[in-house]
Amino acid sequence: MAELVKNPAIQEKLYNEIKATCGDEKEEAGAEEDRRKMPYLKAVVLEGLRRHPPEHALLAHRAAEDIDVCGYLIPRGASVHFAVAEMGRDAREWVDPMRFSPERFLPGGGGEGVVVTGTKAIRMMPFGAGRRICAGLGAAVLHLEYFVANLVREFEWHEVPGDEVDLAERHGTTTVMKKPLRARLVPRRIHRAATTAP
């Protein structure tokens, strides 16, 4: 959401896709049949995971045998750490990697075909990869798409004057914003109270 606050044109493009797909009649956005019709929503979530993975490093792995990786010998028994955040910010893999650009995950954007499961060439792995991939991957992506769709559908997200969004991170069990997001929310829709006849 912080990236959408900092990038109002992206937020507006996402809102337009959500509104075109869900209209104003539906109580909520992001039902499964709707999410399949919202490629930009998926692109926003993938770009968020690329730029801001929940963890910067995976649990250490131990090499079962001596192995050569790109000319480097990893000796049997050595601890191997995967710098997940750096993979998503690697300029050899991503054009302008520090820029938040969901378009890279749309056809022709350079990131299409990227899968977060590690079943293809690994360019990002916010949930790990292979047999040690996070078991909650499916539920996490589903919830991210659902929550982002509803938060953007219901509110315009703006910076608070004099309180610029700072994307600096603090590392702990998971990675969070060092300075929590403060945003000015403007309702997009007028909610009518449900009335029932006596």
Side-chain angles (χ1 to χ4, degrees):
M1 294 311 297
E3 288 284 6
L4 293 177
V5 171
K6 289 183 73 69
N7 296 280
I10 293 172
Q11 182 183 162
E12 192 60 24
K13 184 174 180 177
L14 176 58
Y15 173 70
N16 290 335
E17 178 184 73
I18 294 164
K19 186 171 180 181
T21 304
C22 301
D24 285 326
E25 301 75 38
K26 292 185 181 180
E27 177 107 5
E28 298 176 339
E32 186 175 352
E33 63 274 5
D34 293 334
R35 284 194 323 274
R36 281 188 242 135
K37 300 174 197 167
M38 294 191 278
Y40 199 66
L41 171 63
K42 182 168 281 305
V44 166
V45 168
L46 286 173
E47 181 68 346
L49 288 169
R50 182 192 70 80
R51 279 286 290 119
H52 309 284
E55 270 300 324
H56 274 240
L58 301 177
L59 294 175
H61 296 268
R62 188 167 304 281
E65 58 190 44
D66 288 356
I67 188 167
D68 180 271
V69 178
C70 299
Y72 295 96
L73 173 67
I74 309 292
R76 179 176 185 262
S79 289
V80 179
H81 298 266
F82 293 92
V84 175
E86 296 310 312
M87 287 179 179
R89 300 170 184 173
D90 187 345
R92 294 170 295 183
E93 292 292 329
W94 303 97
V95 174
D96 197 5
M98 298 310 286
R99 184 170 57 95
F100 187 79
S101 175
E103 284 73 15
R104 72 178 83 235
F105 288 99
L106 297 175
E112 69 273 9
V114 171
V115 291
V116 295
T117 59
T119 55
K120 291 187 178 183
I122 297 175
R123 295 175 63 198
M124 60 185 269
M125 49 190 250
F127 297 98
R131 64 184 176 178
R132 291 188 180 97
I133 196 166
C134 176
L137 165 89
V141 172
L142 178 133
H143 283 92
L144 284 168
E145 290 175 358
Y146 177 82
F147 285 121
V148 169
N150 282 287
L151 290 170
V152 170
R153 181 185 191 211
E154 296 299 324
F155 302 100
E156 291 177 38
W157 292 69
H158 301 281
E159 281 190 321
V160 173
D163 193 8
E164 185 178 328
V165 173
D166 181 359
L167 295 175
E169 299 172 332
R170 181 172 50 86
H171 307 287
T173 305
T174 59
T175 302
V176 297
M177 293 176 73
K178 191 178 279 187
K179 177 184 163 198
L181 175 64
R182 287 191 63 225
R184 183 172 58 88
L185 304 180
V186 178
R188 292 187 192 268
R189 303 186 312 154
I190 297 174
H191 295 280
R192 297 189 178 102
T195 59
T196 56

